[in-house]
Amino acid sequence: MKVRASLKALKSKPGSSVVRRHGKVLVINKQNPQWKARQG
C-alpha cells in the first residue's frame, strides 16, 4: 500500500473505491491491487 498526499488520480481508475477507515482515507481496488493507497 502506498501513502500519497492526494488520491485524486487513483479515484478515477477503473474498479477503485474510496473508503474511510479509522479516520484514514483509503483507495481499494480489487481489479488491480497495486493501486491500493492511503492518504496522509
Side-chain angles (χ1 to χ4, degrees):
M1 181 180 295
K2 297 179 180 72
V3 179
R4 315 233 344 193
S6 174
L7 300 177
K8 190 178 279 189
L10 293 174
K11 281 183 200 177
S12 59
K13 303 274 189 194
S16 65
S17 60
V18 180
V19 182
R20 291 199 58 159
R21 290 184 189 163
H22 309 288
K24 295 179 176 67
V25 183
L26 308 175
V27 171
I28 299 169
N29 197 323
K30 294 270 169 66
Q31 290 180 11
N32 200 336
Q34 75 180 14
W35 287 329
K36 268 174 49 172
R38 171 172 78 80
Q39 183 164 346

